[in-house]
Amino acid sequence: MFLSTRPTTPAGTAPDHPSALDARPATAGELAAVYAALARTAPQLSAAAPAVVFAGIGAGPALVERLHRFGVDVHVVEEPGVGRGAYVLGGAAHATCIPAGAGEHEHAALVAAIVEQARMRTWAGDAGPEPRFTTMHTPGSDSRGVVQFLLGDAEIVAKIGAVDAIAGEARFAREVNALMAAERRRGLFPQVHGLRLEGRQGVSLMEAGEPLPIDPLFADPERTTLADDAADRLQPHLDELAIWYQLTARSQRPTVVDYLYRERYHVLREHPDFVATFTALFGDVPPQDALDVPVELPGGLVVPGYGAAVAWLEDVGPRLLPDHGSAVHGDIYAANMLLRADGSPMLIDPRTVWEGRDRPDVGYGDPVFDLATLLHGVLPMAAILRAAHAGTSSELFGARPWPGGATLDLSSLRLPVDFPAAVGELERRMLRSLPHDEPLRDVRTRLYVGAATSLAGWLKYPRAMRTPQAWLATLAYVAWYLWQARNVWEQPGSNGRQDS
């Protein structure tokens, strides 16, 4: 996942930036001293990965973060035999020295400008036109940086991350696009132009697209209510997914489904990131005070808490799991849905592994879970994430919620705890895209369990949750979706078909 975040002053454009003439080739002696210092301070340094070494000076956190997004590591050394400044290692600017004669701000700007342009030049190739930086996107959990640049008339995206994840995603995208092309369809994923391997780091170069406009999907600026025409706006993506699901459908149980519909709930509450996030938000409050008590929602509705709902999943889990599947994306929601210049749909950031759990049939799963990720995104994560990022998450509740007591009182939640008509219409259209015919009860139960699973995953991301209110609102919907799933599963006579 990534969202556009164009910097207000891109490196190399401010009028007071020093000239690149202030940079020079490093001498052989300087490079020898730099590498000797790194051998002592960073013995695991990969010679294949680009880096900037600051000698005798510090590197500000903003510069370190920006270079990190471009896939460049930063090292600081104290080496008497090396002149004060920054030394570029690897890539098109290898062995460049940027002396520290300018002021701190000017020096940082010049380092960023030289390194970033060198990175884009490397990605563009020697024969291409001069690349121009366009924007930087917020990276997701599977990447360290996502940089967009203009190469001639084409916008290119460079996604940087761990080599296994980046290479696997590029391979998956190419295979899916080839399958769709054989059916004379546009690729479901961006065209992959190339893959660069830099030691433990990989860079995928791909076609850029425009994000699907999110605000028009909702009837209100807070993104709490889906717009009446939202299903129409999402239909082109659903149509392409339906074709992909049908082309790859098999009568074989995906190995991931037990994890996603049952085991993940146990793993998440013990996950170090989950525990750390909860502690950062709630201090000394025991997690069980939030997880193992009933949840009170608006309108006097009280639903089983996380622990009780997971116990129910343990009981019904074997009967929930499908004996069929298809290729899946794994993380469909609005931020991962793009449009090409001609308006055709495409998806980015497929997710095929959760919490590091590899398996033999990677990329094969339950398409119902795919659609569950879309459902959880429109109700309620779009609203919760917007509030968290806008600094208004305190407005998600009418009164300050806090764990403790016989129930978790979230009754002042200001988000809908029902399925609005527009969400119901979207659900009907999503289910029509499934490749297998099975009882409607089974499909809807998995849809709601999958939505809860996707929501629960957010509880271990401190940068997304940010506040106790955002975390508790997310937990409220985990409990609510699992309660909805149980109601559907236990409703007498609810064994109709998908198209009923």
Side-chain angles (χ1 to χ4, degrees):
M1 107 186 142
F2 52 81
L3 305 173
S4 179
T5 54
R6 186 185 299 274
T8 55
T9 309
T13 64
D16 60 345
H17 285 179
S19 167
L21 294 176
D22 293 338
R24 61 171 175 79
T27 67
E30 287 171 332
L31 287 177
V34 166
Y35 279 113
L38 289 174
R40 293 190 295 272
T41 61
Q44 302 304 316
L45 176 72
S46 170
V52 176
V53 179
F54 289 84
I57 59 173
L63 177 60
V64 172
E65 175 61 21
R66 188 164 177 85
L67 293 178
H68 178 84
R69 297 280 189 93
F70 271 80
V72 178
D73 291 333
V74 173
H75 303 274
V76 179
V77 301
E78 293 290 341
E79 192 64 29
V82 182
R84 293 176 67 250
Y87 296 82
V88 182
L89 304 180
H94 177 67
T96 296
C97 171
I98 305 109
E104 181 179 340
H105 173 75
E106 291 78 8
H107 185 259
L110 181 56
V111 170
I114 290 174
V115 173
E116 292 172 17
Q117 192 64 27
R119 290 294 280 159
M120 292 187 293
R121 177 74 273 166
T122 298
W123 297 334
D126 293 336
E130 191 65 16
R132 290 196 298 111
F133 173 81
T134 303
T135 190
M136 188 180 292
H137 303 279
T138 301
S141 59
D142 61 343
S143 60
R144 64 182 285 178
V146 182
V147 178
Q148 186 167 325
F149 61 97
L150 186 65
L151 189 61
D153 295 328
E155 289 277 1
I156 307 295
V157 168
K159 182 174 180 179
I160 307 126
V163 65
D164 290 345
I166 295 296
E169 179 181 317
R171 180 173 59 251
F172 185 73
R174 282 170 163 159
E175 291 173 353
V176 174
N177 286 351
L179 177 67
M180 299 296 281
E183 298 295 316
R184 299 187 177 183
R185 310 288 301 190
R186 293 294 297 272
L188 190 59
F189 292 96
Q191 179 185 355
V192 179
H193 297 300
L195 177 67
R196 297 189 63 87
L197 305 181
E198 301 172 335
R200 294 182 293 273
Q201 176 174 278
V203 182
S204 175
L205 301 165
M206 68 188 90
E207 166 190 15
E210 288 295 323
L212 180 74
I214 295 180
D215 284 342
L217 294 175
F218 295 91
D220 61 322
E222 292 74 26
R223 300 178 183 174
T224 64
T225 304
L226 203 63
D228 290 340
D229 64 346
D232 292 336
R233 292 178 179 273
L234 296 170
Q235 191 63 54
H237 285 85
L238 294 176
D239 289 342
E240 294 302 300
L241 284 169
I243 293 168
W244 184 38
Y245 293 154
Q246 191 65 50
L247 289 172
T248 57
R250 304 206 309 259
S251 295
Q252 175 183 329
R253 173 171 292 180
T255 57
V256 73
V257 291
D258 185 53
Y259 185 76
L260 292 179
Y261 292 127
R262 182 192 63 82
E263 185 185 359
R264 193 184 192 205
Y265 290 95
H266 298 286
V267 170
L268 281 174
R269 69 179 296 167
E270 304 298 332
H271 195 284
D273 290 342
F274 177 96
V275 175
T277 300
F278 187 87
T279 301
L281 294 174
F282 299 103
D284 295 333
V285 175
Q288 56 265 30
D289 284 5
L291 299 179
D292 293 335
V293 294
V295 178
E296 185 176 355
L297 297 173
L301 177 63
V302 178
V303 301
Y306 187 102
V310 173
W312 171 73
L313 284 176
E314 285 292 322
D315 181 52
V316 303
R319 289 171 285 163
L320 278 177
L321 305 184
D323 289 323
H324 45 257
S326 70
V328 292
H329 177 281
D331 195 19
I332 297 173
Y333 70 113
N336 286 342
M337 305 169 85
L338 302 186
L339 298 172
R340 295 185 177 89
D342 63 4
S344 61
M346 63 180 179
L347 299 171
I348 58 170
D349 289 357
R351 184 172 187 179
T352 57
V353 177
W354 286 261
E355 285 77 51
R357 300 298 182 93
D358 209 346
R359 60 188 195 278
D361 55 352
V362 170
Y364 177 73
D366 181 11
V368 174
F369 185 83
D370 247 12
L371 302 176
T373 64
L374 178 56
L375 177 61
H376 102 282
V378 299
L379 180 71
M381 279 317 297
I384 294 174
L385 291 176
R386 183 191 180 282
H389 286 266
T392 59
S393 55
S394 61
E395 299 175 10
L396 293 171
F397 290 89
R400 183 176 182 269
W402 200 257
T407 64
L408 179 59
D409 185 359
L410 305 180
S411 59
S412 67
L413 181 66
R414 289 171 170 162
L415 296 175
V417 285
D418 57 14
F419 288 112
V423 175
E425 174 60 23
L426 177 60
E427 179 182 314
R428 285 188 288 275
R429 296 199 194 189
M430 289 194 301
L431 298 187
R432 286 203 295 266
S433 70
L434 295 173
H436 300 96
D437 184 30
E438 58 179 317
L440 182 61
R441 181 193 72 165
D442 297 10
V443 173
R444 292 184 65 219
T445 300
R446 296 204 310 276
L447 184 70
Y448 299 155
V449 173
T453 303
S454 299
L455 285 159
W458 287 101
L459 298 176
K460 61 184 175 69
Y461 293 131
R463 287 192 299 176
M465 296 289 92
R466 300 193 181 189
T467 67
Q469 291 91 341
W471 197 96
L472 289 171
T474 304
L475 179 65
Y477 278 93
V478 173
W480 182 76
Y481 268 112
L482 289 174
W483 177 73
Q484 293 285 353
R486 183 168 183 170
N487 284 346
V488 170
W489 182 258
E490 295 177 350
Q491 182 178 345
S494 57
N495 59 351
R497 313 306 288 183
Q498 293 173 31
D499 53 359
S500 61

